[in-house]
mmCIF file of all heavy atoms in Angstrom:
data_model
loop_
_atom_site.group_PDB
_atom_site.id
_atom_site.type_symbol
_atom_site.label_atom_id
_atom_site.label_comp_id
_atom_site.label_asym_id
_atom_site.label_seq_id
_atom_site.Cartn_x
_atom_site.Cartn_y
_atom_site.Cartn_z
ATOM 1 N N MET A 1 30.633 -5.595 2.636
ATOM 2 C CA MET A 1 29.672 -4.492 2.757
ATOM 3 C C MET A 1 28.560 -4.658 1.708
ATOM 4 O O MET A 1 28.810 -5.208 0.639
ATOM 5 C CB MET A 1 30.379 -3.148 2.588
ATOM 6 C CG MET A 1 30.927 -2.919 1.183
ATOM 7 S SD MET A 1 31.715 -1.316 0.984
ATOM 8 C CE MET A 1 33.113 -1.449 2.090
ATOM 9 N N PRO A 2 27.401 -4.185 2.027
ATOM 10 C CA PRO A 2 26.289 -4.320 1.073
ATOM 11 C C PRO A 2 26.527 -3.497 -0.181
ATOM 12 O O PRO A 2 26.974 -2.369 -0.114
ATOM 13 C CB PRO A 2 25.092 -3.805 1.861
ATOM 14 C CG PRO A 2 25.663 -2.957 2.939
ATOM 15 C CD PRO A 2 27.015 -3.512 3.235
ATOM 16 N N ARG A 3 26.197 -4.067 -1.289
ATOM 17 C CA ARG A 3 26.411 -3.362 -2.554
ATOM 18 C C ARG A 3 25.098 -2.864 -3.140
ATOM 19 O O ARG A 3 25.079 -1.979 -3.966
ATOM 20 C CB ARG A 3 27.054 -4.312 -3.569
ATOM 21 C CG ARG A 3 28.333 -4.927 -3.074
ATOM 22 C CD ARG A 3 28.880 -5.895 -4.102
ATOM 23 N NE ARG A 3 29.804 -5.215 -5.017
ATOM 24 C CZ ARG A 3 30.241 -5.739 -6.152
ATOM 25 N NH1 ARG A 3 29.836 -6.922 -6.522
ATOM 26 N NH2 ARG A 3 31.076 -5.096 -6.916
ATOM 27 N N ASP A 4 24.016 -3.452 -2.714
ATOM 28 C CA ASP A 4 22.744 -3.116 -3.358
ATOM 29 C C ASP A 4 21.971 -2.002 -2.651
ATOM 30 O O ASP A 4 20.809 -1.788 -2.896
ATOM 31 C CB ASP A 4 21.871 -4.372 -3.450
ATOM 32 C CG ASP A 4 21.595 -4.961 -2.085
ATOM 33 O OD1 ASP A 4 22.199 -4.485 -1.116
ATOM 34 O OD2 ASP A 4 20.773 -5.868 -1.990
ATOM 35 N N THR A 5 22.646 -1.304 -1.732
ATOM 36 C CA THR A 5 21.963 -0.198 -1.062
ATOM 37 C C THR A 5 21.955 1.048 -1.941
ATOM 38 O O THR A 5 21.116 1.921 -1.788
ATOM 39 C CB THR A 5 22.642 0.144 0.268
ATOM 40 O OG1 THR A 5 24.016 0.351 0.044
ATOM 41 C CG2 THR A 5 22.433 -0.959 1.275
ATOM 42 N N LYS A 6 22.877 1.112 -2.851
ATOM 43 C CA LYS A 6 22.946 2.277 -3.732
ATOM 44 C C LYS A 6 21.694 2.325 -4.623
ATOM 45 O O LYS A 6 21.374 1.373 -5.299
ATOM 46 C CB LYS A 6 24.210 2.200 -4.590
ATOM 47 C CG LYS A 6 24.394 3.429 -5.465
ATOM 48 C CD LYS A 6 25.631 3.277 -6.329
ATOM 49 C CE LYS A 6 25.793 4.501 -7.230
ATOM 50 N NZ LYS A 6 26.890 4.312 -8.186
ATOM 51 N N GLY A 7 21.030 3.441 -4.586
ATOM 52 C CA GLY A 7 19.844 3.584 -5.411
ATOM 53 C C GLY A 7 18.634 2.889 -4.826
ATOM 54 O O GLY A 7 17.538 2.972 -5.358
ATOM 55 N N PHE A 8 18.811 2.242 -3.710
ATOM 56 C CA PHE A 8 17.709 1.505 -3.119
ATOM 57 C C PHE A 8 17.118 2.263 -1.933
ATOM 58 O O PHE A 8 15.959 2.110 -1.588
ATOM 59 C CB PHE A 8 18.219 0.133 -2.670
ATOM 60 C CG PHE A 8 17.111 -0.855 -2.439
ATOM 61 C CD1 PHE A 8 16.365 -1.338 -3.514
ATOM 62 C CD2 PHE A 8 16.814 -1.309 -1.173
ATOM 63 C CE1 PHE A 8 15.347 -2.247 -3.309
ATOM 64 C CE2 PHE A 8 15.798 -2.225 -0.956
ATOM 65 C CZ PHE A 8 15.066 -2.692 -2.036
ATOM 66 N N LYS A 9 17.898 3.114 -1.336
ATOM 67 C CA LYS A 9 17.454 3.866 -0.167
ATOM 68 C C LYS A 9 16.267 4.762 -0.518
ATOM 69 O O LYS A 9 16.312 5.506 -1.483
ATOM 70 C CB LYS A 9 18.620 4.715 0.358
ATOM 71 C CG LYS A 9 18.311 5.399 1.680
ATOM 72 C CD LYS A 9 19.503 6.204 2.134
ATOM 73 C CE LYS A 9 19.212 6.901 3.456
ATOM 74 N NZ LYS A 9 20.311 7.799 3.822
ATOM 75 N N GLY A 10 15.220 4.668 0.272
ATOM 76 C CA GLY A 10 14.057 5.509 0.032
ATOM 77 C C GLY A 10 13.143 4.960 -1.043
ATOM 78 O O GLY A 10 12.146 5.578 -1.368
ATOM 79 N N ASN A 11 13.473 3.827 -1.566
ATOM 80 C CA ASN A 11 12.639 3.256 -2.624
ATOM 81 C C ASN A 11 11.207 3.032 -2.139
ATOM 82 O O ASN A 11 10.254 3.314 -2.838
ATOM 83 C CB ASN A 11 13.244 1.932 -3.074
ATOM 84 C CG ASN A 11 12.497 1.362 -4.272
ATOM 85 O OD1 ASN A 11 12.168 2.092 -5.186
ATOM 86 N ND2 ASN A 11 12.219 0.080 -4.250
ATOM 87 N N LYS A 12 11.103 2.564 -0.932
ATOM 88 C CA LYS A 12 9.788 2.278 -0.374
ATOM 89 C C LYS A 12 8.957 3.556 -0.220
ATOM 90 O O LYS A 12 7.763 3.552 -0.429
ATOM 91 C CB LYS A 12 9.962 1.607 0.986
ATOM 92 C CG LYS A 12 8.753 0.805 1.426
ATOM 93 C CD LYS A 12 9.095 0.009 2.662
ATOM 94 C CE LYS A 12 7.925 -0.904 3.055
ATOM 95 N NZ LYS A 12 8.249 -1.692 4.246
ATOM 96 N N GLN A 13 9.637 4.627 0.124
ATOM 97 C CA GLN A 13 8.931 5.884 0.344
ATOM 98 C C GLN A 13 8.433 6.495 -0.955
ATOM 99 O O GLN A 13 7.606 7.385 -0.939
ATOM 100 C CB GLN A 13 9.848 6.872 1.073
ATOM 101 C CG GLN A 13 10.170 6.421 2.488
ATOM 102 C CD GLN A 13 11.047 7.425 3.214
ATOM 103 O OE1 GLN A 13 11.772 8.193 2.590
ATOM 104 N NE2 GLN A 13 10.975 7.430 4.533
ATOM 105 N N SER A 14 8.947 6.032 -2.051
ATOM 106 C CA SER A 14 8.525 6.592 -3.326
ATOM 107 C C SER A 14 7.165 6.036 -3.744
ATOM 108 O O SER A 14 6.511 6.572 -4.604
ATOM 109 C CB SER A 14 9.562 6.290 -4.404
ATOM 110 O OG SER A 14 9.571 4.909 -4.685
ATOM 111 N N LEU A 15 6.747 4.963 -3.078
ATOM 112 C CA LEU A 15 5.450 4.394 -3.390
ATOM 113 C C LEU A 15 4.354 5.210 -2.728
ATOM 114 O O LEU A 15 4.515 5.684 -1.613
ATOM 115 C CB LEU A 15 5.374 2.956 -2.882
ATOM 116 C CG LEU A 15 6.263 1.959 -3.623
ATOM 117 C CD1 LEU A 15 6.248 0.624 -2.904
ATOM 118 C CD2 LEU A 15 5.824 1.794 -5.057
ATOM 119 N N PRO A 16 3.243 5.375 -3.405
ATOM 120 C CA PRO A 16 2.127 6.079 -2.797
ATOM 121 C C PRO A 16 1.565 5.304 -1.614
ATOM 122 O O PRO A 16 1.645 4.092 -1.566
ATOM 123 C CB PRO A 16 1.099 6.192 -3.917
ATOM 124 C CG PRO A 16 1.565 5.376 -5.042
ATOM 125 C CD PRO A 16 2.958 4.915 -4.761
ATOM 126 N N ALA A 17 0.991 6.040 -0.688
ATOM 127 C CA ALA A 17 0.378 5.396 0.463
ATOM 128 C C ALA A 17 -0.773 6.254 0.945
ATOM 129 O O ALA A 17 -0.795 7.455 0.740
ATOM 130 C CB ALA A 17 1.396 5.215 1.573
ATOM 131 N N LYS A 18 -1.730 5.599 1.559
ATOM 132 C CA LYS A 18 -2.847 6.336 2.139
ATOM 133 C C LYS A 18 -3.450 5.494 3.246
ATOM 134 O O LYS A 18 -3.281 4.278 3.268
ATOM 135 C CB LYS A 18 -3.881 6.671 1.063
ATOM 136 C CG LYS A 18 -4.473 5.467 0.352
ATOM 137 C CD LYS A 18 -5.391 5.935 -0.765
ATOM 138 C CE LYS A 18 -5.975 4.763 -1.534
ATOM 139 N NZ LYS A 18 -6.841 5.220 -2.638
ATOM 140 N N PRO A 19 -4.160 6.142 4.169
ATOM 141 C CA PRO A 19 -4.707 5.393 5.299
ATOM 142 C C PRO A 19 -5.944 4.598 4.930
ATOM 143 O O PRO A 19 -6.774 5.055 4.155
ATOM 144 C CB PRO A 19 -5.031 6.489 6.316
ATOM 145 C CG PRO A 19 -5.268 7.714 5.492
ATOM 146 C CD PRO A 19 -4.371 7.587 4.293
ATOM 147 N N CYS A 20 -6.048 3.437 5.508
ATOM 148 C CA CYS A 20 -7.247 2.620 5.387
ATOM 149 C C CYS A 20 -8.388 3.343 6.103
ATOM 150 O O CYS A 20 -8.203 3.828 7.220
ATOM 151 C CB CYS A 20 -6.981 1.251 6.031
ATOM 152 S SG CYS A 20 -8.450 0.237 6.234
ATOM 153 N N VAL A 21 -9.535 3.446 5.463
ATOM 154 C CA VAL A 21 -10.637 4.189 6.066
ATOM 155 C C VAL A 21 -11.252 3.436 7.246
ATOM 156 O O VAL A 21 -11.989 4.013 8.038
ATOM 157 C CB VAL A 21 -11.728 4.511 5.025
ATOM 158 C CG1 VAL A 21 -11.164 5.374 3.908
ATOM 159 C CG2 VAL A 21 -12.362 3.260 4.486
ATOM 160 N N ALA A 22 -10.965 2.150 7.343
ATOM 161 C CA ALA A 22 -11.538 1.357 8.421
ATOM 162 C C ALA A 22 -10.646 1.339 9.659
ATOM 163 O O ALA A 22 -11.099 1.612 10.762
ATOM 164 C CB ALA A 22 -11.792 -0.059 7.941
ATOM 165 N N CYS A 23 -9.373 1.032 9.463
ATOM 166 C CA CYS A 23 -8.490 0.872 10.620
ATOM 167 C C CYS A 23 -7.457 2.002 10.734
ATOM 168 O O CYS A 23 -6.815 2.145 11.763
ATOM 169 C CB CYS A 23 -7.787 -0.483 10.573
ATOM 170 S SG CYS A 23 -6.556 -0.622 9.265
ATOM 171 N N GLY A 24 -7.339 2.804 9.688
ATOM 172 C CA GLY A 24 -6.454 3.949 9.763
ATOM 173 C C GLY A 24 -4.984 3.662 9.525
ATOM 174 O O GLY A 24 -4.165 4.568 9.531
ATOM 175 N N ARG A 25 -4.667 2.402 9.311
ATOM 176 C CA ARG A 25 -3.272 2.054 9.054
ATOM 177 C C ARG A 25 -2.882 2.454 7.638
ATOM 178 O O ARG A 25 -3.716 2.394 6.723
ATOM 179 C CB ARG A 25 -3.065 0.543 9.222
ATOM 180 C CG ARG A 25 -3.135 0.121 10.667
ATOM 181 C CD ARG A 25 -3.077 -1.383 10.795
ATOM 182 N NE ARG A 25 -1.859 -1.928 10.188
ATOM 183 C CZ ARG A 25 -1.587 -3.231 10.126
ATOM 184 N NH1 ARG A 25 -2.451 -4.096 10.599
ATOM 185 N NH2 ARG A 25 -0.482 -3.640 9.577
ATOM 186 N N ASP A 26 -1.632 2.840 7.499
ATOM 187 C CA ASP A 26 -1.173 3.210 6.167
ATOM 188 C C ASP A 26 -1.129 2.006 5.252
ATOM 189 O O ASP A 26 -0.598 0.960 5.609
ATOM 190 C CB ASP A 26 0.228 3.824 6.244
ATOM 191 C CG ASP A 26 0.149 5.308 6.535
ATOM 192 O OD1 ASP A 26 -0.974 5.852 6.506
ATOM 193 O OD2 ASP A 26 1.192 5.915 6.790
ATOM 194 N N MET A 27 -1.687 2.182 4.096
ATOM 195 C CA MET A 27 -1.596 1.149 3.064
ATOM 196 C C MET A 27 -0.591 1.621 2.040
ATOM 197 O O MET A 27 -0.725 2.709 1.499
ATOM 198 C CB MET A 27 -2.939 0.978 2.350
ATOM 199 C CG MET A 27 -4.102 0.759 3.261
ATOM 200 S SD MET A 27 -5.602 0.524 2.286
ATOM 201 C CE MET A 27 -5.886 2.184 1.683
ATOM 202 N N VAL A 28 0.396 0.829 1.815
ATOM 203 C CA VAL A 28 1.380 1.178 0.790
ATOM 204 C C VAL A 28 0.966 0.529 -0.523
ATOM 205 O O VAL A 28 0.495 -0.603 -0.541
ATOM 206 C CB VAL A 28 2.788 0.723 1.202
ATOM 207 C CG1 VAL A 28 3.804 1.071 0.109
ATOM 208 C CG2 VAL A 28 3.182 1.378 2.520
ATOM 209 N N TRP A 29 1.138 1.278 -1.562
ATOM 210 C CA TRP A 29 0.752 0.837 -2.901
ATOM 211 C C TRP A 29 1.221 -0.581 -3.198
ATOM 212 O O TRP A 29 2.360 -0.929 -2.921
ATOM 213 C CB TRP A 29 1.331 1.809 -3.920
ATOM 214 C CG TRP A 29 0.881 1.561 -5.320
ATOM 215 C CD1 TRP A 29 -0.206 2.123 -5.925
ATOM 216 C CD2 TRP A 29 1.509 0.718 -6.300
ATOM 217 N NE1 TRP A 29 -0.295 1.665 -7.214
ATOM 218 C CE2 TRP A 29 0.742 0.801 -7.471
ATOM 219 C CE3 TRP A 29 2.638 -0.114 -6.287
ATOM 220 C CZ2 TRP A 29 1.073 0.106 -8.627
ATOM 221 C CZ3 TRP A 29 2.962 -0.819 -7.431
ATOM 222 C CH2 TRP A 29 2.190 -0.697 -8.583
ATOM 223 N N ARG A 30 0.316 -1.349 -3.731
ATOM 224 C CA ARG A 30 0.654 -2.717 -4.121
ATOM 225 C C ARG A 30 0.407 -2.886 -5.612
ATOM 226 O O ARG A 30 -0.464 -2.241 -6.184
ATOM 227 C CB ARG A 30 -0.234 -3.729 -3.374
ATOM 228 C CG ARG A 30 -0.017 -3.692 -1.882
ATOM 229 C CD ARG A 30 -0.979 -4.663 -1.221
ATOM 230 N NE ARG A 30 -1.043 -4.435 0.212
ATOM 231 C CZ ARG A 30 -1.909 -5.030 1.017
ATOM 232 N NH1 ARG A 30 -2.797 -5.875 0.517
ATOM 233 N NH2 ARG A 30 -1.911 -4.782 2.305
ATOM 234 N N LYS A 31 1.147 -3.801 -6.173
ATOM 235 C CA LYS A 31 1.018 -4.031 -7.607
ATOM 236 C C LYS A 31 -0.405 -4.461 -7.966
ATOM 237 O O LYS A 31 -0.937 -4.105 -9.012
ATOM 238 C CB LYS A 31 2.013 -5.114 -8.036
ATOM 239 C CG LYS A 31 2.392 -4.995 -9.496
ATOM 240 C CD LYS A 31 3.588 -5.884 -9.770
ATOM 241 C CE LYS A 31 4.134 -5.599 -11.176
ATOM 242 N NZ LYS A 31 5.331 -6.400 -11.449
ATOM 243 N N SER A 32 -1.005 -5.205 -7.050
ATOM 244 C CA SER A 32 -2.354 -5.706 -7.321
ATOM 245 C C SER A 32 -3.386 -4.575 -7.304
ATOM 246 O O SER A 32 -4.504 -4.747 -7.755
ATOM 247 C CB SER A 32 -2.726 -6.773 -6.294
ATOM 248 O OG SER A 32 -2.717 -6.233 -4.998
ATOM 249 N N TRP A 33 -2.966 -3.408 -6.770
ATOM 250 C CA TRP A 33 -3.873 -2.268 -6.722
ATOM 251 C C TRP A 33 -3.609 -1.281 -7.854
ATOM 252 O O TRP A 33 -4.213 -0.220 -7.918
ATOM 253 C CB TRP A 33 -3.739 -1.543 -5.388
ATOM 254 C CG TRP A 33 -4.315 -2.294 -4.243
ATOM 255 C CD1 TRP A 33 -5.248 -3.294 -4.295
ATOM 256 C CD2 TRP A 33 -4.010 -2.098 -2.857
ATOM 257 N NE1 TRP A 33 -5.535 -3.728 -3.018
ATOM 258 C CE2 TRP A 33 -4.793 -3.013 -2.128
ATOM 259 C CE3 TRP A 33 -3.162 -1.235 -2.165
ATOM 260 C CZ2 TRP A 33 -4.740 -3.082 -0.729
ATOM 261 C CZ3 TRP A 33 -3.109 -1.307 -0.793
ATOM 262 C CH2 TRP A 33 -3.886 -2.224 -0.075
ATOM 263 N N ALA A 34 -2.709 -1.632 -8.728
ATOM 264 C CA ALA A 34 -2.299 -0.697 -9.782
ATOM 265 C C ALA A 34 -3.495 -0.220 -10.599
ATOM 266 O O ALA A 34 -3.576 0.937 -10.985
ATOM 267 C CB ALA A 34 -1.277 -1.358 -10.683
ATOM 268 N N LYS A 35 -4.424 -1.118 -10.815
ATOM 269 C CA LYS A 35 -5.551 -0.786 -11.693
ATOM 270 C C LYS A 35 -6.605 0.070 -11.004
ATOM 271 O O LYS A 35 -7.320 0.815 -11.641
ATOM 272 C CB LYS A 35 -6.197 -2.077 -12.209
ATOM 273 C CG LYS A 35 -5.346 -2.746 -13.284
ATOM 274 C CD LYS A 35 -5.981 -4.051 -13.758
ATOM 275 C CE LYS A 35 -5.728 -5.163 -12.756
ATOM 276 N NZ LYS A 35 -6.207 -6.469 -13.239
ATOM 277 N N ASN A 36 -6.704 -0.086 -9.694
ATOM 278 C CA ASN A 36 -7.785 0.626 -9.004
ATOM 279 C C ASN A 36 -7.323 1.327 -7.734
ATOM 280 O O ASN A 36 -8.094 1.462 -6.778
ATOM 281 C CB ASN A 36 -8.914 -0.360 -8.686
ATOM 282 C CG ASN A 36 -8.463 -1.430 -7.698
ATOM 283 O OD1 ASN A 36 -7.274 -1.678 -7.558
ATOM 284 N ND2 ASN A 36 -9.386 -2.035 -7.010
ATOM 285 N N TRP A 37 -6.100 1.792 -7.734
ATOM 286 C CA TRP A 37 -5.543 2.433 -6.536
ATOM 287 C C TRP A 37 -6.438 3.566 -6.042
ATOM 288 O O TRP A 37 -6.658 3.744 -4.849
ATOM 289 C CB TRP A 37 -4.126 2.944 -6.835
ATOM 290 C CG TRP A 37 -3.554 3.777 -5.748
ATOM 291 C CD1 TRP A 37 -3.266 5.109 -5.814
ATOM 292 C CD2 TRP A 37 -3.191 3.366 -4.423
ATOM 293 N NE1 TRP A 37 -2.740 5.536 -4.621
ATOM 294 C CE2 TRP A 37 -2.695 4.488 -3.750
ATOM 295 C CE3 TRP A 37 -3.255 2.142 -3.749
ATOM 296 C CZ2 TRP A 37 -2.246 4.431 -2.421
ATOM 297 C CZ3 TRP A 37 -2.818 2.086 -2.417
ATOM 298 C CH2 TRP A 37 -2.321 3.210 -1.795
ATOM 299 N N ALA A 38 -6.988 4.330 -6.949
ATOM 300 C CA ALA A 38 -7.808 5.476 -6.555
ATOM 301 C C ALA A 38 -9.059 5.037 -5.799
ATOM 302 O O ALA A 38 -9.621 5.795 -5.019
ATOM 303 C CB ALA A 38 -8.193 6.282 -7.789
ATOM 304 N N GLU A 39 -9.476 3.798 -6.049
ATOM 305 C CA GLU A 39 -10.707 3.316 -5.428
ATOM 306 C C GLU A 39 -10.453 2.485 -4.182
ATOM 307 O O GLU A 39 -11.391 2.136 -3.466
ATOM 308 C CB GLU A 39 -11.481 2.476 -6.444
ATOM 309 C CG GLU A 39 -11.926 3.312 -7.631
ATOM 310 C CD GLU A 39 -12.401 2.427 -8.779
ATOM 311 O OE1 GLU A 39 -12.736 1.259 -8.535
ATOM 312 O OE2 GLU A 39 -12.416 2.909 -9.911
ATOM 313 N N VAL A 40 -9.194 2.174 -3.940
ATOM 314 C CA VAL A 40 -8.878 1.345 -2.776
ATOM 315 C C VAL A 40 -9.073 2.142 -1.496
ATOM 316 O O VAL A 40 -8.529 3.234 -1.353
ATOM 317 C CB VAL A 40 -7.428 0.828 -2.860
ATOM 318 C CG1 VAL A 40 -7.045 0.107 -1.572
ATOM 319 C CG2 VAL A 40 -7.268 -0.111 -4.045
ATOM 320 N N LYS A 41 -9.880 1.627 -0.604
ATOM 321 C CA LYS A 41 -10.130 2.332 0.656
ATOM 322 C C LYS A 41 -9.758 1.480 1.860
ATOM 323 O O LYS A 41 -9.600 1.986 2.958
ATOM 324 C CB LYS A 41 -11.615 2.697 0.760
ATOM 325 C CG LYS A 41 -12.061 3.707 -0.278
ATOM 326 C CD LYS A 41 -13.465 4.195 0.061
ATOM 327 C CE LYS A 41 -13.915 5.273 -0.913
ATOM 328 N NZ LYS A 41 -14.762 4.736 -1.974
ATOM 329 N N TYR A 42 -9.675 0.184 1.649
ATOM 330 C CA TYR A 42 -9.430 -0.718 2.766
ATOM 331 C C TYR A 42 -8.139 -1.495 2.561
ATOM 332 O O TYR A 42 -7.808 -1.868 1.441
ATOM 333 C CB TYR A 42 -10.602 -1.689 2.915
ATOM 334 C CG TYR A 42 -11.939 -0.992 2.952
ATOM 335 C CD1 TYR A 42 -12.752 -0.955 1.842
ATOM 336 C CD2 TYR A 42 -12.347 -0.344 4.112
ATOM 337 C CE1 TYR A 42 -13.977 -0.298 1.864
ATOM 338 C CE2 TYR A 42 -13.561 0.320 4.158
ATOM 339 C CZ TYR A 42 -14.378 0.343 3.027
ATOM 340 O OH TYR A 42 -15.566 0.996 3.072
ATOM 341 N N CYS A 43 -7.449 -1.753 3.677
ATOM 342 C CA CYS A 43 -6.166 -2.434 3.581
ATOM 343 C C CYS A 43 -6.355 -3.929 3.389
ATOM 344 O O CYS A 43 -5.436 -4.624 2.994
ATOM 345 C CB CYS A 43 -5.335 -2.150 4.831
ATOM 346 S SG CYS A 43 -5.990 -2.863 6.345
ATOM 347 N N SER A 44 -7.543 -4.407 3.665
ATOM 348 C CA SER A 44 -7.770 -5.848 3.571
ATOM 349 C C SER A 44 -9.258 -6.138 3.449
ATOM 350 O O SER A 44 -10.099 -5.263 3.684
ATOM 351 C CB SER A 44 -7.225 -6.535 4.831
ATOM 352 O OG SER A 44 -7.971 -6.109 5.953
ATOM 353 N N ASP A 45 -9.564 -7.354 3.083
ATOM 354 C CA ASP A 45 -10.967 -7.749 3.010
ATOM 355 C C ASP A 45 -11.635 -7.656 4.370
ATOM 356 O O ASP A 45 -12.818 -7.351 4.479
ATOM 357 C CB ASP A 45 -11.079 -9.188 2.483
ATOM 358 C CG ASP A 45 -10.841 -9.243 0.975
ATOM 359 O OD1 ASP A 45 -10.891 -8.181 0.322
ATOM 360 O OD2 ASP A 45 -10.611 -10.339 0.470
ATOM 361 N N ALA A 46 -10.862 -7.913 5.413
ATOM 362 C CA ALA A 46 -11.419 -7.857 6.764
ATOM 363 C C ALA A 46 -11.927 -6.447 7.070
ATOM 364 O O ALA A 46 -13.013 -6.273 7.629
ATOM 365 C CB ALA A 46 -10.356 -8.261 7.773
ATOM 366 N N CYS A 47 -11.141 -5.445 6.676
ATOM 367 C CA CYS A 47 -11.569 -4.061 6.900
ATOM 368 C C CYS A 47 -12.754 -3.709 6.040
ATOM 369 O O CYS A 47 -13.669 -3.017 6.460
ATOM 370 C CB CYS A 47 -10.401 -3.124 6.621
ATOM 371 S SG CYS A 47 -9.229 -3.042 7.993
ATOM 372 N N ARG A 48 -12.755 -4.192 4.824
ATOM 373 C CA ARG A 48 -13.879 -3.912 3.929
ATOM 374 C C ARG A 48 -15.173 -4.453 4.525
ATOM 375 O O ARG A 48 -16.212 -3.795 4.554
ATOM 376 C CB ARG A 48 -13.626 -4.586 2.566
ATOM 377 C CG ARG A 48 -14.591 -4.146 1.501
ATOM 378 C CD ARG A 48 -14.545 -5.105 0.333
ATOM 379 N NE ARG A 48 -13.170 -5.391 -0.048
ATOM 380 C CZ ARG A 48 -12.506 -4.720 -0.986
ATOM 381 N NH1 ARG A 48 -13.085 -3.766 -1.637
ATOM 382 N NH2 ARG A 48 -11.262 -5.045 -1.264
ATOM 383 N N LYS A 49 -15.096 -5.665 5.036
ATOM 384 C CA LYS A 49 -16.286 -6.286 5.616
ATOM 385 C C LYS A 49 -16.693 -5.590 6.907
ATOM 386 O O LYS A 49 -17.869 -5.396 7.183
ATOM 387 C CB LYS A 49 -16.016 -7.775 5.878
ATOM 388 C CG LYS A 49 -15.936 -8.572 4.589
ATOM 389 C CD LYS A 49 -15.476 -9.984 4.867
ATOM 390 C CE LYS A 49 -15.280 -10.747 3.557
ATOM 391 N NZ LYS A 49 -14.648 -12.059 3.767
ATOM 392 N N ALA A 50 -15.704 -5.219 7.694
ATOM 393 C CA ALA A 50 -15.993 -4.563 8.960
ATOM 394 C C ALA A 50 -16.724 -3.243 8.726
ATOM 395 O O ALA A 50 -17.630 -2.872 9.478
ATOM 396 C CB ALA A 50 -14.693 -4.321 9.722
ATOM 397 N N LYS A 51 -16.323 -2.541 7.686
ATOM 398 C CA LYS A 51 -16.929 -1.244 7.390
ATOM 399 C C LYS A 51 -18.322 -1.389 6.831
ATOM 400 O O LYS A 51 -19.201 -0.584 7.073
ATOM 401 C CB LYS A 51 -16.032 -0.494 6.401
ATOM 402 C CG LYS A 51 -16.299 0.996 6.377
ATOM 403 C CD LYS A 51 -15.775 1.655 7.645
ATOM 404 C CE LYS A 51 -15.953 3.162 7.553
ATOM 405 N NZ LYS A 51 -15.436 3.830 8.781
ATOM 406 N N ASN A 52 -18.516 -2.446 6.067
ATOM 407 C CA ASN A 52 -19.804 -2.649 5.425
ATOM 408 C C ASN A 52 -20.788 -3.395 6.302
ATOM 409 O O ASN A 52 -21.980 -3.434 6.002
ATOM 410 C CB ASN A 52 -19.612 -3.438 4.115
ATOM 411 C CG ASN A 52 -18.946 -2.562 3.061
ATOM 412 O OD1 ASN A 52 -18.994 -1.343 3.146
ATOM 413 N ND2 ASN A 52 -18.327 -3.192 2.085
ATOM 414 N N ALA A 53 -20.322 -3.989 7.343
ATOM 415 C CA ALA A 53 -21.185 -4.801 8.198
ATOM 416 C C ALA A 53 -22.268 -3.943 8.843
ATOM 417 O O ALA A 53 -22.008 -2.810 9.202
ATOM 418 C CB ALA A 53 -20.364 -5.479 9.267
HETATM 419 ZN ZN1 ZN B 1 -7.605 -1.560 7.408
#
């Protein structure tokens, strides 16, 4: 039986998330966004370019 499920359940849900303003998909917090999470609006460079095009 799995042993590492204890304390792991719901871990993903504890991360902040918000919708991409371009495609509307939920973006889950990433470590690379730690510094500028408040300013992140796009889930990817493709969305950023699509919005700015
Ligand atoms: Zn997007």
Side-chain angles (χ1 to χ4, degrees):
M1 67 178 65
R3 304 178 91 193
D4 59 352
T5 53
K6 184 182 179 187
F8 198 69
K9 187 180 180 186
N11 186 43
K12 202 171 185 179
Q13 293 182 335
S14 69
L15 291 172
K18 59 185 178 181
C20 169
V21 299
C23 70
R25 289 174 58 182
D26 274 351
M27 308 182 288
V28 179
W29 187 91
R30 297 177 194 172
K31 205 168 190 177
S32 61
W33 288 339
K35 285 178 282 186
N36 65 339
W37 172 247
E39 296 167 20
V40 173
K41 294 190 177 98
Y42 309 101
C43 67
S44 65
D45 284 344
C47 280
R48 191 196 313 267
K49 289 172 185 172
K51 199 72 176 180
N52 288 338

